[in-house]
């Protein structure tokens, strides 16, 4: 009788262990419980408004040219000259002093180094 109860206890322990291991993965699709004011919040005040339009400026802003030059790896960049056709930025590259020229249109495309 003792051997039967011991075997039954071991079998129960194995079954409980096996079921608890599979319950973790099966409960991943279970019910979510949230405590607090609620999960669904109202949208922000400007949710239905269209995004702000960019100003109608034509050309490359000096700050924008500096940002583009820095993204190309130019250190200590500064704007040297702004003409109707181009914006010239000086700074230091990997090999020493470097100059970059950008077209004076929207987006500041690179003309040359």
């Amino acid at each position: 009788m003792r051997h039967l109860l011991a075997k039954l206890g071991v079998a129960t322990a194995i079954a409980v262990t096996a079921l608890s291991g599979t319950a973790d993965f099966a409960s991943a699709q279970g019910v979510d419980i949230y405590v607090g004011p609620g999960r669904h919040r109202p949208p922000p005040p400007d949710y239905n408004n269209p995004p702000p339009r960019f100003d109608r400026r034509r050309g490359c802003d000096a700050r924008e040219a500096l940002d583009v030059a820095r993204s190309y790896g130019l250190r200590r960049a500064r704007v040297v000259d702004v003409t109707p056709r181009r914006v010239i930025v000086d700074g230091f590259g990997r090999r020493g002093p470097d100059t970059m020229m950008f077209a004076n249109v929207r987006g500041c495309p690179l003309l040359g180094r």
Side-chain angles (χ1 to χ4, degrees):
M1 182 75 173
R2 272 193 168 171
H3 293 295
L4 181 65
L5 289 176
K7 288 180 184 178
L8 196 66
V10 170
T12 305
I14 291 173
V16 168
T17 305
L19 288 177
S20 68
T22 59
D24 290 339
F25 298 110
S27 67
Q29 297 177 0
V31 177
D32 295 333
I33 298 173
Y34 295 96
V35 178
R39 180 177 178 193
H40 302 288
R41 295 188 177 103
D46 59 346
Y47 180 75
N48 292 326
N49 296 340
R53 295 183 58 103
F54 294 104
D55 56 341
R56 299 265 183 206
R57 67 176 163 82
R58 301 174 75 126
C60 177
D61 187 28
R63 289 178 296 180
E64 188 177 359
L66 286 175
D67 289 342
V68 173
R70 287 182 185 131
S71 69
Y72 274 109
L74 203 63
R75 295 184 310 268
R76 292 172 39 189
R78 58 186 166 83
V79 175
V80 176
D81 190 23
V82 178
T83 66
R85 290 184 176 261
R86 63 186 180 184
V87 178
I88 300 174
V89 178
D90 278 346
F92 290 91
R94 290 184 301 182
R95 298 182 182 117
D98 199 3
T99 300
M100 299 180 85
M101 291 180 290
F102 299 99
N104 198 357
V105 296
R106 185 185 309 179
C108 295
L110 179 66
L111 291 177
R113 288 188 86 132

